[in-house]
Every structure is written in structure tokens, then in C-alpha cells.
Amino acid sequence: MPVIQKETSVPANAAVENVLAGSAFEFLRQNAVVSIGITGAATGLVANIQSGADIVLEESPLLVKTTMPTIPDDMYYNDVGVAGDRLVVRVRNTTGAPVIARTIVQVTNL
């Protein structure tokens, strides 16, 4: 099972367009179930999640936690994607200081 695990500093009053950009698994290689967990180190982070054409999460506040998301407890976002779908996790910081976002994506090929 491929896994993407990222820790990203989101600048003050700015956005990271795709925390998964550059990952070998950013584009699904085959049909797969995708499970995503994402946490913010402090309040003020919001995220959008997209799997191909599917909007998995509209801009919403993140779970506040100072660690990586716990598997399976914090894997709130799930979707079935098809080969070639791009996984996009956009994180925006609404505060005046940088905040860490931690993301785990599990890809289970079908």
C-alpha cells in the first residue's frame, strides 16, 4: 500500500496549493481507494481535498493536533479514484503566523 506522509509549513495568511505536489503517488497509477488524514499544529488552517474530479472536502477547518494523523482514527476523508486522477490537498493559513500541516495519504490499489 503506497503511503504519502508530509509535514508542511503553511506561511502566514497564505496557501500551499498542493501539499502532495511532487510525490510519486500524486497521480494514481491505477484504480484505488484513497484515505486521507490531515492535522494542523494550531487553529487557523483550512483545507480543500480533491481526488480527480471529486471534491472530497470543501474548505474546512482541520483537526488540531501536534502529531501526524493517527491511522485509522484520523483518516476522515476517503474516495475511490481511477487511474490518472490527481490528488490535491490545498491548505490555507488564516492566521498571522506560520502553522504546520501534517498529512498522511494511504492508497489501496483495487
Side-chain angles (χ1 to χ4, degrees):
M1 170 187 322
V3 174
I4 305 167
Q5 184 170 308
K6 297 276 190 164
E7 185 173 86
T8 308
S9 179
V10 184
N13 295 307
V16 174
E17 293 302 321
N18 189 5
V19 299
L20 307 178
S23 167
F25 308 115
E26 176 184 3
F27 293 91
L28 297 179
R29 296 179 185 170
Q30 62 188 60
N31 297 349
V33 174
V34 179
S35 296
I36 301 169
I38 182 167
T39 61
T43 58
L45 290 184
V46 293
N48 296 24
I49 300 174
Q50 209 171 328
S51 171
D54 297 341
I55 297 172
V56 179
L57 177 69
E58 277 190 322
E59 188 170 81
S60 299
L62 297 183
L63 171 68
V64 176
K65 194 172 179 178
T66 58
T67 62
M68 282 287 181
T70 303
I71 300 170
D73 299 346
D74 300 333
M75 305 300 277
Y76 296 151
Y77 313 108
N78 301 283
D79 191 51
V80 176
V82 297
D85 277 359
R86 182 179 187 200
L87 303 177
V88 177
V89 178
R90 180 183 188 272
V91 181
R92 186 170 65 87
N93 185 350
T94 64
T95 73
V99 179
I100 300 292
R102 295 177 177 93
T103 310
I104 294 180
V105 179
Q106 291 182 310
V107 179
T108 305
N109 295 326
L110 297 176

